[in-house]
Amino acid sequence: MRARTAPLVIGHRGAPGYRPEHTAASYELAFALGADAVEPDIVATKDGVLVLRHENEISGTTDVATRAEFAGRRTTKEIDGTPLTGWFTEDFTWEELATLRAKERLPAIRQASSTFDGRYPVLRLRDLLGIVDRASDDAARRLGVVAEIKHATYFDSIGLPLAELFAAEVAEAGWIDNPGLVVESFEKTVLGQVRRQGFRGTRVYLLEDSGVPADRAAAQGSAAAGYADDLTARGLYALGAAAAPDRVDGISVEVSQVLASGSVAVSLFEDDPSDIDVGAVTSDLVDTAHSAGLGVYCWTLRPENALMPEEFRGQGRDDQWGDWRRLFSILLHSGVDGVFADHPDLAVAVRDEH
């Protein structure tokens, strides 16, 4: 791990600012652009193969909707309390999914990436681990994987235990004791389950600024505490102090949770981003989490106007870039231990220029 003054740059689903997410081209490009690690989202097929997709509903990231042979698989399901209509990984075997091709999830904003639609197949977790092994050899340094387990409670309910499948997969690949492997989830329960399956690496709890974790909602119903409780000082200290295997090593939060209010941030800007009083434009979340013994990661650094906090947007179209350098500088100098970036080269450039 880097010192806190030089946070890790993690390619969020590879380098999706340039290539369709979760493809070999996206991951390989992320490392070529200087990323220290990459982040795959992990879901499962009907036959228990772990595949890399942002969600188990894949109509937005593959060409499945154009495939006549799979038209009958379109359905509506409730995933973590939300009704979704489309095609779902758990209704396909790996052999079937392997015939699909990836496409850009945000074509109106990332038109350059969308020109690569249809060129790359869906990947398995084992495929990515091989890519990272080869990239580490080429770079002569250890490169990492920050693996996000998605919808674990839902997959458990249909007989696909992601914690068990994940531990078995990384053990078979020789990665279960690899210090470059981090596992994260919006559901804390699965992080404990992974540890019980033999994983001893870093476990990171993803926290949104609102809502209720799906595992708590399933277990406790309307009485379930929301993410807001975890983000209090009491909640953070509880996360860091819990006995193993329920303790977590870090948290991962949204950009908005690291920043102070927008009006304060804008009013204190200087012409040169390096002159920003970072302490004045960020919240106390990072310091509080660190004092509780937790690492802190931040998601997601993106330069496009449509994907940035409002106070950093420019006057152009949604797909044009706003004041990304200023935003990235604030976040990279906020004390966080790592950032997730869709354009890893931009984050690396800002991190390393001072």
Side-chain angles (χ1 to χ4, degrees):
M1 298 288 286
R2 291 178 181 268
R4 285 177 181 157
T5 54
L8 294 170
V9 171
I10 303 157
H12 182 240
R13 309 174 198 161
Y18 304 112
R19 299 291 187 276
E21 65 189 32
H22 294 312
T23 61
S26 186
Y27 290 120
E28 290 166 353
L29 182 57
F31 289 128
L33 295 175
D36 303 297
V38 292
E39 185 241 20
D41 294 318
I42 297 172
V43 293
T45 65
K46 177 164 57 177
D47 48 347
V49 176
L50 297 182
V51 294
L52 310 183
R53 290 288 92 192
H54 173 53
E55 294 290 342
N56 55 325
E57 199 289 293
I58 55 174
S59 61
T61 61
T62 73
D63 63 355
V64 66
T66 70
R67 305 290 291 274
E69 68 269 35
F70 298 133
R73 307 279 178 96
R74 188 173 187 267
T75 188
T76 298
K77 301 187 181 190
E78 185 173 297
I79 309 298
D80 296 348
T82 301
L84 294 174
T85 299
W87 288 260
F88 297 82
T89 59
E90 64 270 21
D91 294 332
F92 293 78
T93 65
W94 163 244
E95 184 177 4
E96 291 171 328
L97 275 188
T99 68
L100 301 180
R101 291 298 178 265
K103 68 176 185 177
E104 171 55 46
R105 189 170 58 90
L106 302 169
I109 295 173
R110 292 180 170 164
Q111 297 173 37
S113 175
S114 69
T115 64
F116 292 90
D117 285 359
R119 295 189 60 178
Y120 309 119
V122 174
L123 293 182
R124 299 167 296 181
L125 175 60
R126 69 187 67 176
D127 300 323
L128 174 60
L129 298 179
I131 289 170
V132 180
D133 283 336
R134 292 189 293 274
S136 296
D137 290 342
D138 292 343
R141 67 181 180 116
R142 180 190 297 129
L143 300 170
V145 173
V146 182
E148 181 181 347
I149 295 178
K150 302 294 289 275
H151 307 303
T153 299
Y154 166 76
F155 276 105
D156 275 349
S157 74
I158 60 172
L160 290 166
L162 295 188
E164 181 180 330
L165 294 170
F166 175 80
E169 184 84 358
V170 296
E172 183 178 348
W175 270 76
I176 198 162
D177 296 317
N178 189 318
L181 179 61
V182 176
V183 63
E184 62 177 3
S185 181
F186 283 104
E187 300 174 59
K188 184 169 172 283
T189 301
V190 75
L191 300 177
Q193 292 171 343
V194 167
R195 184 172 177 85
R196 291 182 182 94
Q197 292 291 328
F199 178 76
R200 292 295 180 265
T202 300
R203 292 171 295 152
V204 173
Y205 187 26
L206 285 154
L207 295 167
E208 296 187 274
D209 59 6
S210 63
V212 178
D215 52 345
R216 282 191 199 148
Q220 302 171 25
S222 61
Y227 288 114
D229 285 17
D230 296 308
L231 286 164
T232 64
R234 182 187 295 271
L236 293 170
Y237 274 87
L239 290 173
D246 295 318
R247 184 187 189 280
V248 299
D249 304 294
I251 60 171
S252 188
V253 298
E254 299 176 70
V255 164
S256 61
Q257 293 166 302
V258 176
L259 296 174
S261 64
S263 59
V264 172
V266 170
S267 67
L268 292 175
F269 282 162
E270 302 291 343
D271 290 336
D272 184 348
S274 65
D275 292 334
I276 297 169
D277 180 358
V278 173
V281 296
T282 54
S283 70
D284 61 1
L285 175 61
V286 175
D287 286 342
T288 303
H290 281 161
S291 69
L294 299 169
V296 183
Y297 300 81
C298 175
W299 48 274
T300 303
L301 278 63
R302 293 164 165 151
E304 297 96 344
N305 280 325
L307 305 177
M308 300 181 76
E310 185 174 357
E311 60 267 34
F312 296 93
R313 295 174 188 170
Q315 298 301 312
R317 301 184 311 269
D318 282 353
D319 62 312
Q320 292 180 305
W321 291 7
D323 197 0
W324 65 270
R325 184 168 172 262
R326 195 180 304 275
L327 173 63
F328 287 20
S329 185
I330 291 170
L331 297 169
L332 285 157
H333 293 88
S334 66
V336 296
D337 301 280
V339 299
F340 295 85
D342 283 4
H343 301 71
D345 54 328
L346 303 185
V348 169
V350 172
R351 180 192 66 187
D352 294 349
E353 67 185 2
H354 298 300

